């Protein structure tokens, strides 16, 4: 057992403290605040210095790795010109239309838009498609019956699907019409949602499907060529 | 320090600061995340017709999550792909991208885990393990990875002496004679459905897929032949199925483009296109199927008790152009995928039917009534 | 009738509660040792008992942690803190009946909780795995015990308080607050998404840092001066150390979420606060070791103090290791490895349990008037030391191997990464066997001292009370 003469103010250390002594002597210690040792001045200084360095290092670490306390890195917003925005919007509209077409139309009109000769009219290069946007929108809204001529071929629509039986929204109609009007070499104008809504309102009283010849007559200007 | 009340206030103050940050602060920061689309509109809003991610688990997968928690799988498996700079997870092929807080908002128990004695499972559903493989792994992991420490769960399975073809064969490493057959209980099926549903295969506005240079290393299946034991087919059949699948999926001349209506998973579209998976038509009479494949079908048809009314143009591009071989292959394929299991169709059978229909106009579709009425 | 010294009176008032809590703590310790062995054995041989569903590795492992922390830890905390508070306040332990009543509820709740885990009602949130139903009972019994502990403290003779009292009181008060926050956020009013993980991680780790750790530190602050007969060296630092732990520990625990699907600031703040934890660790280490090394011979001679100093040394070393492992560059390797096991076992075995053993060996003769045979104590110390060192080294080296190998994507998982750490699992299995023996000797001796004649115990107690 080493004898420590440097350590002052202690009770004799050959016997255990009683609890009363533990409390009293430690309370006493905390009242005198610090022990008169040689390192008294130096120790706090070193301490403050180390603490300061640590805070400095830690702040650097924090500023690097907290991502400014945000939930996730900022979602990259690329500044687009008006043109680019327009292209992006149209791209999305067409890709949405493509999906709708594949799921709902391609079984008859085929993915290549050529239809089936004698059964289902083609959409690629069809004058019905390139006519006034209202034509294609109306056909999708209500369906079509009666014989029609497409690209000089006669199609009977006895087997036509009643498209109105399958619910479809105005936005979907606008998207798929736009797709059809711009795919497979077609290059007609875009179809807008509000236009479709207007047509839906106008034809809301119609119980029956469109008759091909009537529809063609209504928009005969746009069938042109 | 001497006044108990002040002392108490002091220690609760220090605890309260951390509480404010990690509980109150964090909750207000990301407590109400909702699913979103992969890409946002320019003004930061979700496009109206976009698909939203993450998608909720199916009912059976949710039950599987409860089983997963109850069995303590989280003790050894994490479900989080760390950020690229914080770990090797993406390099290991455990995910296409780091996980984001939003990925978990629809899960009842978020079991991120903190220990990886087993591999990460955040994307186990993306690893293209078959259900049989997962069942075999759950029943006895060591039959696939001999050095695995994962505890076997035989209590989730019934051992079967006289197996039917939906039972799982557990191959013995030593002796093929020792192969066992087990039948999953409903709990095992839940667990597998949950594991298959664990996938982060979509991008979010805040996190995109990470480009990795190398193909991630495949996990160490020591005995590869084991994993296909339950679905092994003779080679000629497998070839026919594979070619058939190509035709089913192909949307170019020579293909059938069947998937546009009947879907890649063979489920069809409810109310519009009938399913092929488990369909009484597909698994039934071959002749009918061959006829439909040549001439198409229109009008009302009842499949598995559900009525459909639509038009199926003769498959093929151009329509009705599939050869006898192609028809044989694609029909064999649809009779042997998605859980279907029925005899193969040969080109000779197709040729016989074709000969019997000589004289029928090329595009004259069949009706269901015509096919079900016995030929006079 | 001779007049007893005040200490004797206090010891007698504490006898019933202390004996109850200590003897049940002992049973839980053995239970945890058995479960720890099962878990370790299952990692060396996955087929071991694999056909019993209630003994899957996941359940056994979780049950072991819960039995250890709430069963052994909780009961030991009650026993030791009640007695130390009573001694330092120079006040008698009152309401022993209520204490035992609460203790019975506490133990029953844990029993049902563990059965619930085995039966498959496990929540999967760290240290909150027991079924929801048992928690209200545990909370109520805990509050009763804490209330009676505060009553002792309120009736203290000297108004001023000293370090052991701060640490023990703070621990007693923190637990219910921590628990209510976590329980509310996970079960009652569940948070969505990864918030759950933040909360369960915060609770599970804070439980160790704000409940087990302060009690052990408080016991050390009491035992070292009491046995050495000298005051704590640089005692003026103790108050700084206490408030540093109070202010930093609840922040530092979340650094385990590094890289995960939570906002980056959460682990970053955790890491910074872990680094700052260097200060309270340094303070405690200086206080304990500067005092102890002035009289190292006496430390060696006194078995309780040997336990305590082993605990404080282990606390110092491994806390510094923990600080290093929280640095992001290191965490990249060590995160999710069996280093986690190193941290947990170091805290609960190497530090908390060792100090509690010391406290028990110090208190038990004073309370019961009977000594545990020296050979048994010595056996317990050496086997514990050996077991703990084996365990911690295996987990440390195994964990580093685990992390380094896992970080090489070209190595397949099961056949390479996991196979190379299997030898370490074998070592831990032996370590757990040694520890189980060691703890068995401890518990048997404690029981024999508490119940020298099991049937006469209560009769004797009644007689004493009536005197």
């Amino acid at each position: 057992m080493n004898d420590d003469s440097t350590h002052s103010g202690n009770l004799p250390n050959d016997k255990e403290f009683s609890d009363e002594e533990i409390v009293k002597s430690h309370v006493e210690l905390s009242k005198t605040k610090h022990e008169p040792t040689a390192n008294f001045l130096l120790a706090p200084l070193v301490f403050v210095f180390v603490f300061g360095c640590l805070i400095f290092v830690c702040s650097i670490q924090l500023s690097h790795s907290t991502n400014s306390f945000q939930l996730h890195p900022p979602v990259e917003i690329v500044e687009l010109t008006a043109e680019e925005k327009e292209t992006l919007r149209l791209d999305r509209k067409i890709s949405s239309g493509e999906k709708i077409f594949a799921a709902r139309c391609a079984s008859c009109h085929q993915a290549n838009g050529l239809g089936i000769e004698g059964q289902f009219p083609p959409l690629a290069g069809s004058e019905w498609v390139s006519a006034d946007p209202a034509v294609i929108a109306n056909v999708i809204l209500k369906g079509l019956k009666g014989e029609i001529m497409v690209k000089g071929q006669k199609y009977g629509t006895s087997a036509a699907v009643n498209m109105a039986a399958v619910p479809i929204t105005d936005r979907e109609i606008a998207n798929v019409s736009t797709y059809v009007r711009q795919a497979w070499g077609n290059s007609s104008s875009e179809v807008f949602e509000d236009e479709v809504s207007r047509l839906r309102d106008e034809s809301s009283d119609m119980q029956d499907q469109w008759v091909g010849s009537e529809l063609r007559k209504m928009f005969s200007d746009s069938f042109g060529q | 320090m001497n006044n108990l009340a002040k002392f108490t206030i002091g220690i609760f103050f220090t605890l309260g600061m951390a509480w404010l940050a990690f509980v109150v602060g964090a909750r207000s920061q990301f407590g109400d995340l909702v699913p979103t689309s992969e890409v946002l509109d320019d003004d930061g809003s979700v496009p109206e017709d976009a698909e939203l991610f993450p998608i909720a688990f199916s009912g059976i997968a949710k039950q599987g999550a409860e089983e997963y928690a109850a069995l303590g799988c989280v003790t050894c498996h994490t479900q989080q792909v760390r950020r690229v700079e914080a770990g090797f997870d993406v390099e290991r092929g455990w995910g296409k991208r780091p996980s984001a807080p939003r990925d978990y908002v629809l899960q009842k128990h978020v079991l991120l885990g903190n220990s990886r004695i087993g591999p990460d499972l955040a994307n186990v559903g993306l690893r293209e393990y078959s259900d049989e493989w997962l069942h075999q792994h759950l029943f006895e992991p060591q039959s696939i990875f001999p050095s695995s420490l994962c505890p076997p769960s035989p209590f989730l399975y019934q051992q079967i002496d006289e197996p039917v073809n939906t039972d799982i064969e557990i191959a013995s490493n030593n002796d093929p004679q020792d192969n066992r057959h087990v039948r999953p209980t409903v709990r095992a099926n839940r667990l597998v459905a949950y594991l298959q549903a664990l996938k982060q295969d979509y991008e979010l506005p805040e996190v995109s897929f990470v480009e990795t240079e190398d193909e991630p290393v495949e996990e160490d299946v020591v005995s590869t032949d084991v994993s296909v034991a339950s679905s092994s087919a003779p080679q000629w059949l497998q070839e026919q199925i594979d070619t058939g699948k190509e035709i089913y999926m192909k949307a170019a001349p020579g293909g059938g483009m069947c998937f546009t209506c009947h879907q890649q998973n063979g489920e069809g579209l409810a109310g519009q296109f009938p399913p092929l998976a488990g369909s009484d038509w597909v698994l039934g009479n071959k002749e009918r199927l061959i006829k439909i494949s040549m001439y198409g079908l229109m009008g009302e048809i009842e499949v598995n008790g559900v009525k459909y009314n639509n038009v199926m143009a003769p498959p093929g591009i151009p329509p009705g152009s599939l050869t006898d071989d192609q028809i044989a292959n694609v029909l064999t394929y649809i009779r042997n995928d998605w859980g279907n299991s029925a005899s193969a169709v040969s080109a000779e059978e197709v040729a016989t039917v074709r000969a019997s229909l000589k004289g029928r106009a090329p595009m004259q579709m069949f009706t269901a009534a015509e096919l079900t009425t016995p030929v006079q | 009738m001779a007049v007893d010294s005040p200490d004797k009176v206090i010891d007698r008032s504490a006898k019933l509660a202390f004996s109850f809590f200590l003897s049940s703590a002992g049973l839980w310790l053995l239970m945890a040792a058995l479960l720890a062995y099962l878990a370790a054995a299952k990692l060396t041989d996955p087929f071991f008992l694999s056909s019993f569903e209630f003994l899957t590795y996941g359940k056994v492992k979780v049950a072991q942690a819960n039995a250890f922390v709430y069963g052994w830890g909780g009961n030991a905390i009650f026993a030791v803190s009640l007695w130390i508070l009573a001694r330092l306040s120079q006040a008698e332990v009152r309401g022993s009946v209520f204490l035992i009543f609460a203790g019975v509820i506490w133990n029953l709740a844990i029993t049902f909780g563990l059965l619930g885990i085995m039966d498959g009602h496990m929540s999967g949130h760290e240290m909150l795995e027991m079924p929801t139903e048992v928690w209200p009972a545990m909370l109520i019994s805990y509050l009763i015990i804490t209330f009676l502990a505060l009553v002792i403290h309120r009736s203290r003779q000297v108004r001023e308080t000293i370090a052991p009292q701060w640490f023990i009181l703070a621990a007693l008060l923190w637990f219910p607050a921590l628990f209510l926050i976590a329980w509310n956020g996970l079960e009652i009013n569940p948070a969505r998404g990864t918030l759950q993980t933040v909360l369960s991680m915060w609770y599970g780790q804070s439980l160790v840092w704000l409940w087990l750790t302060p009690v052990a530190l408080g016991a050390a602050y009491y035992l070292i001066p009491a046995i050495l007969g000298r005051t704590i060296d640089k005692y003026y630092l103790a108050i700084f150390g206490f408030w540093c732990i109070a202010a930093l520990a609840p922040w530092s625990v979340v650094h385990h979420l590094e890289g995960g699907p939570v906002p980056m600031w959460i682990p970053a703040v955790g890491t910074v606060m872990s680094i700052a934890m260097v200060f309270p660790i340094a303070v405690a280490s200086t206080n304990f070791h500067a005092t102890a090394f002035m009289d190292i011979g006496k430390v060696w001679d006194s078995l309780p103090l040997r336990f305590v100093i082993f605990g404080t040394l282990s606390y110092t070393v491994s806390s510094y290791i923990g600080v290093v492992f929280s640095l992001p560059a290191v965490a990249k390797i060590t995160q999710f490895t069996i280093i986690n096991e190193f941290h947990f076992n170091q805290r609960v075995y190497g530090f908390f349990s060792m100090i509690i053993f010391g406290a028990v060996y110090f208190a038990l003769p004073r309370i019961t008037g009977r000594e545990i045979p020296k050979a048994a104590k010595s056996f317990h110390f050496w086997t514990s030391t050996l077991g703990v060192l084996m365990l911690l080294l295996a987990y440390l080296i195994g964990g580093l191997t685990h992390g380094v190998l896992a970080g090489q994507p070209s190595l397949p998982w099961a056949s390479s990464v996991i196979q190379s750490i299997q030898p370490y699992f074998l070592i831990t299995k032996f370590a757990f066997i040694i520890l189980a023996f060691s703890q068995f000797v401890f518990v048997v001796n404690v029981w024999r001292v508490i119940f020298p004649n099991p049937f006469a115990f209560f009769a004797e107690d009644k007689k004493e009370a009536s005197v």
Side-chain angles (χ1 to χ4, degrees):
Chain A
M1 305 198 180
N2 55 354
D3 188 6
D4 59 324
S5 48
T6 54
H7 198 79
S8 57
N10 250 338
L11 285 125
N13 61 3
D14 52 347
K15 89 183 230 299
E16 294 182 350
F17 259 167
S18 82
D19 298 306
E20 219 178 333
E21 285 166 327
I22 293 178
V23 175
K24 288 214 171 113
S25 55
H26 282 100
V27 166
E28 207 51 43
L29 275 179
S30 53
K31 276 182 183 154
T32 53
K33 299 287 183 197
H34 33 64
E35 292 171 327
T37 57
N39 294 334
F40 164 58
L41 275 174
L42 198 54
L45 277 182
V46 169
F47 194 75
V48 166
F49 179 72
V50 174
F51 206 85
C53 289
L54 200 84
I55 288 175
F56 181 70
V57 171
C58 289
S59 342
I60 290 177
Q61 145 87 8
L62 258 183
S63 64
H64 277 306
S65 58
T66 54
N67 182 28
S68 319
F69 292 88
Q70 294 303 301
L71 178 55
H72 43 68
V75 177
E76 259 182 62
I77 294 174
V78 187
E79 273 302 316
L80 295 176
T81 63
E83 259 172 62
E84 284 171 323
K85 273 187 190 165
E86 180 60 19
T87 323
L88 189 67
R89 188 188 60 78
L90 202 57
D91 282 352
R92 281 192 196 149
K93 189 166 187 172
I94 287 176
S95 74
S96 152
E98 189 174 1
K99 278 185 200 155
I100 300 169
F101 185 85
R104 302 186 146 193
C105 315
S107 61
C108 297
H109 293 291
Q110 305 299 306
N112 54 14
L114 292 179
I116 292 169
E117 226 181 306
Q119 291 290 328
F120 307 111
L123 301 177
S126 157
E127 65 268 32
W128 288 76
V129 169
S130 57
D132 193 282
V135 173
I136 185 169
N138 272 327
V139 169
I140 299 176
L141 271 169
K142 289 290 166 185
L144 192 67
K145 66 181 179 187
E147 286 194 343
I148 54 167
M149 290 289 288
V150 179
K151 286 169 90 178
Q153 287 251 8
K154 199 184 262 183
Y155 292 88
T157 53
S158 56
V161 188
N162 183 359
M163 282 166 271
V166 186
I168 184 165
T169 66
D170 296 344
R171 194 184 175 96
E172 283 171 321
I173 293 179
N175 290 356
V176 74
S177 311
T178 307
Y179 168 71
V180 167
R181 282 164 68 87
Q182 304 202 351
W184 318 297
N186 292 352
S187 55
S188 308
S189 63
E190 190 187 343
V191 181
F192 294 98
E193 191 183 347
D194 47 359
E195 209 175 336
V196 180
S197 310
R198 189 176 53 80
L199 292 170
R200 193 191 282 274
D201 288 344
E202 280 175 10
S203 61
S204 58
D205 298 335
M206 243 176 90
Q207 297 298 320
D208 216 356
Q209 300 168 335
W210 287 102
V211 179
S213 50
E214 280 175 21
L215 199 58
R216 184 157 192 158
K217 221 175 279 165
M218 275 172 70
F219 297 95
S220 56
D221 301 349
S222 58
F223 277 84
Q225 301 110 11
Chain B
M1 292 303 268
N2 301 328
N3 182 322
L4 187 60
K6 279 185 195 161
F7 176 77
T8 311
I9 292 170
I11 61 170
F12 283 150
F13 175 75
T14 57
L15 187 70
M17 296 307 283
W19 172 73
L20 271 182
F22 297 137
V23 182
V24 180
R27 198 160 187 152
S28 69
Q29 184 178 28
F30 66 109
D32 49 3
L33 279 179
V34 288
T36 188
S37 58
E38 295 193 279
V39 184
L40 295 178
D41 264 345
D42 315 318
D43 53 355
S45 66
V46 178
E48 248 181 74
D49 44 6
E51 253 184 291
L52 298 187
F53 295 102
I55 50 173
F57 288 146
S58 66
I60 187 170
K62 279 182 188 158
Q63 291 175 317
E66 305 282 334
E67 298 287 346
Y68 183 94
L71 285 170
C73 305
V74 70
T75 316
C76 295
H77 291 284
T78 55
Q79 286 184 19
Q80 50 179 325
V81 180
R82 286 180 288 175
R83 281 196 312 279
V84 176
E85 69 274 17
F88 50 80
D89 305 7
V90 175
E91 284 173 71
R92 249 197 191 281
W94 282 345
K96 292 179 174 178
R97 59 166 176 85
S99 304
R102 203 190 296 274
D103 292 328
Y104 302 87
V105 291
L106 296 180
Q107 301 182 11
K108 187 176 160 215
H109 297 296
V110 179
L111 301 163
L112 284 193
N114 193 25
S115 172
R116 279 184 183 159
I117 295 178
D120 188 81
L121 296 182
N123 286 294
V124 66
L126 276 186
R127 288 178 207 153
E128 292 178 357
Y129 296 138
S130 65
D131 287 359
E132 290 79 20
W133 191 95
L134 286 170
H135 277 303
Q136 186 182 349
H137 191 285
L138 285 175
F139 177 78
E140 191 178 306
Q142 289 70 20
S143 69
I144 297 174
F145 306 125
S147 55
S148 168
L149 293 183
C150 187
S153 305
F155 42 81
L156 294 178
Y157 294 87
Q158 279 174 285
Q159 285 233 25
I160 300 293
D161 293 329
E162 288 165 15
V164 298
N165 61 8
T166 53
D167 292 332
I168 317 280
E169 184 176 7
I170 309 295
S172 158
N173 288 326
N174 310 318
D175 184 5
Q177 296 299 309
D178 286 352
N179 287 4
R180 286 155 294 168
H181 288 84
V182 295
R183 185 172 297 166
T185 62
V186 64
R187 295 176 58 205
N189 283 327
R190 288 175 187 160
L191 208 45
V192 166
Y194 172 65
L195 293 175
Q196 294 285 29
L198 286 176
K199 48 186 156 191
Q200 297 166 354
D201 57 346
Y202 45 87
E203 293 186 308
L204 290 172
E206 62 264 27
V207 51
S208 351
F209 291 143
V210 177
E211 304 283 334
T212 42
E213 287 160 19
D214 318 309
E215 274 293 293
V217 191
E218 258 313 296
E219 187 49 70
D220 40 348
V221 183
V222 178
S223 38
T224 33
D225 52 329
V226 171
S227 58
V228 291
S230 56
S231 62
S232 66
Q235 204 184 344
W236 62 267
L237 179 60
Q238 196 59 49
E239 274 170 15
Q240 223 182 337
I241 291 175
D242 291 346
T243 337
K245 183 168 187 179
E246 262 171 48
I247 299 167
Y248 187 87
M249 300 298 296
K250 196 166 167 187
M257 210 177 59
C258 317
F259 76 98
T260 50
C261 299
H262 296 292
Q263 307 301 313
Q264 198 169 346
N265 58 9
E267 303 285 347
L269 275 183
Q272 298 189 44
F273 306 119
L276 303 180
S279 155
D280 45 2
W281 282 74
V282 172
L283 295 170
N285 187 321
K286 289 188 213 173
E287 193 186 324
R288 289 191 317 210
L289 282 178
I290 297 171
K291 284 178 174 171
I292 297 173
S293 312
M294 286 176 182
Y295 288 90
L297 185 77
M298 59 182 285
E300 198 174 73
I301 178 173
E302 192 174 315
V303 179
N304 292 348
V306 181
K307 284 196 174 121
Y308 297 84
N309 190 353
N310 215 327
V311 177
M312 171 177 165
I317 297 171
S321 65
L322 291 182
T323 64
D324 294 354
D325 259 338
Q326 286 170 328
I327 289 179
N329 289 344
V330 78
L331 289 181
T332 306
Y333 166 68
I334 64 170
R335 283 160 70 88
N336 286 287
D337 194 8
W338 321 298
N340 288 356
S341 181
S343 58
V345 177
S346 69
E348 290 73 39
E349 286 172 287
V350 181
T352 319
V353 177
R354 200 185 283 280
S356 76
L357 289 172
K358 215 176 217 173
R360 195 181 170 91
M363 285 293 163
Q364 200 184 348
M365 295 182 208
F366 282 97
T367 61
E370 199 180 340
L371 288 171
T372 43
T373 337
V375 185
Q376 290 84 9
Chain C
M1 209 193 319
V3 179
D4 284 330
S5 75
D7 283 356
K8 280 258 167 57
V9 177
I10 292 165
D11 287 346
R12 201 157 52 224
S13 74
K15 183 175 180 183
L16 195 60
F18 186 85
S19 307
F20 174 79
F21 285 124
L22 186 59
S23 44
S24 34
L27 292 184
W28 285 117
L29 186 61
L30 292 185
M31 182 57 148
L34 176 69
L35 291 170
Y37 166 74
L38 286 181
K42 278 173 159 286
L43 270 192
T44 49
D45 174 16
F47 286 96
F48 179 67
L49 296 180
S50 68
S51 53
F52 298 104
E53 187 184 348
F54 64 98
L55 286 180
T56 66
Y57 175 76
K59 291 177 179 176
V60 171
K61 186 86 184 110
V62 165
Q64 185 250 344
N66 279 278
F68 206 97
V69 170
Y70 295 113
W72 154 248
N75 280 298
I77 283 176
F78 299 146
V80 168
S81 35
L82 281 172
W83 182 71
I84 292 182
L85 282 181
R87 281 295 206 104
L88 289 179
S89 309
Q90 292 287 299
E92 288 181 40
V93 175
R94 271 174 280 170
S96 287
V97 181
F98 294 107
L99 284 174
I100 290 185
F101 171 70
V104 169
I105 296 179
W106 176 265
N107 287 323
L108 279 179
I110 300 171
T111 312
F112 280 115
L114 294 195
L115 288 177
I117 289 175
M118 300 278 191
D119 193 40
H121 297 87
M122 183 158 46
S123 73
H125 298 304
E126 202 173 338
M127 294 319 295
L128 272 176
E129 288 98 345
M130 291 196 264
T132 319
E133 292 76 15
V134 308
W135 290 107
M138 287 186 65
L139 185 66
I140 289 169
S141 58
Y142 185 92
L143 290 179
I144 295 175
I145 295 167
T146 305
F147 174 75
L148 288 164
L150 291 179
V151 166
I152 298 172
H153 184 72
R154 289 286 287 182
S155 49
R156 63 189 183 278
Q157 303 288 317
V158 181
R159 197 180 157 270
E160 285 83 3
T161 53
I162 59 170
Q165 288 162 312
W166 312 331
F167 280 103
I168 290 175
L169 285 174
L172 288 178
L173 292 172
W174 272 327
F175 174 76
L178 277 176
F179 167 73
L180 279 175
I181 293 169
W183 196 51
N184 175 53
L186 293 172
E187 303 276 351
I188 305 302
N189 189 8
R192 290 169 70 229
T194 50
L195 265 179
Q196 286 184 12
T197 315
V198 176
L199 203 51
S200 75
M201 172 70 69
W202 185 69
Y203 173 75
Q205 300 289 322
S206 294
L207 194 64
V208 172
W209 268 106
L210 295 182
W211 197 43
L212 302 182
T213 301
V215 171
L217 289 178
Y221 267 114
Y222 170 72
L223 291 171
I224 291 174
I227 298 174
L228 283 183
R230 58 170 73 242
T231 51
I232 295 283
D233 192 37
K234 301 199 173 54
Y235 177 69
Y236 59 92
L237 288 175
I239 190 165
F240 170 74
F242 173 78
W243 286 111
C244 266
I245 288 189
L248 299 177
W251 291 85
S252 71
V253 293
V254 289
H255 71 78
H256 294 277
L257 293 166
E258 182 72 37
V262 294
M264 281 168 81
W265 63 268
I266 291 181
V269 168
T271 305
V272 167
M273 294 301 182
S274 306
I275 298 171
M277 285 294 282
V278 165
F279 289 101
I281 298 164
V283 166
S285 166
T286 311
N287 278 165
F288 298 145
H289 303 133
T291 315
F293 283 87
M294 283 177 180
D295 209 346
I296 193 71
K298 197 159 177 180
V299 172
W300 192 252
D301 290 341
S302 157
L303 190 106
L305 206 50
R306 240 192 284 162
F307 270 111
V308 171
I309 296 302
F310 182 97
T312 57
L313 277 174
S314 136
Y315 169 76
T316 311
V317 173
S318 58
S319 298
Y320 284 133
I321 294 181
V323 171
V324 173
F325 285 169
S326 72
L327 300 173
V330 188
K332 189 174 176 177
I333 300 167
T334 58
Q335 197 181 16
F336 302 142
T337 66
I338 52 174
I339 294 267
N340 290 339
E341 297 297 314
F342 166 79
H343 285 307
F344 180 78
N345 285 291
Q346 179 280 321
R347 291 258 156 239
V348 299
Y349 272 102
F351 165 58
F352 174 79
S353 298
M354 291 304 251
I355 290 186
I356 294 294
F357 291 146
V360 167
Y361 284 130
F362 181 74
L364 206 56
R366 284 164 176 74
I367 289 175
T368 60
R370 286 178 291 270
E371 266 289 1
I372 292 177
K374 201 159 179 7
K377 287 200 280 193
S378 210
F379 175 82
H380 182 213
F381 178 76
W382 288 114
T383 46
S384 293
T385 309
L386 179 69
V388 166
L389 288 180
M390 257 173 86
L391 191 65
L392 297 188
L393 282 178
Y395 277 137
L396 185 61
I397 301 170
L400 289 173
T401 317
H402 188 179
V404 169
L405 295 183
Q408 299 171 16
S410 56
L411 292 179
W413 191 261
S415 61
S416 176
V417 177
I418 294 305
Q419 194 153 37
S420 6
I421 55 171
Q422 263 168 338
Y424 299 102
F425 288 132
L426 198 64
I427 300 178
T428 63
K429 183 169 105 174
F430 287 120
F432 277 120
I433 294 177
I434 294 175
L435 283 173
F437 263 111
S438 163
Q439 287 157 1
F440 183 73
V441 170
F442 166 74
V443 173
V444 165
N445 280 295
V446 164
W447 272 69
R448 280 177 54 194
V449 166
I450 293 177
F451 306 108
N453 183 354
F455 302 105
F457 176 76
F458 292 103
E460 178 194 7
D461 196 71
K462 245 177 234 158
K463 205 164 57 195
E464 277 183 22
S466 65
V467 170

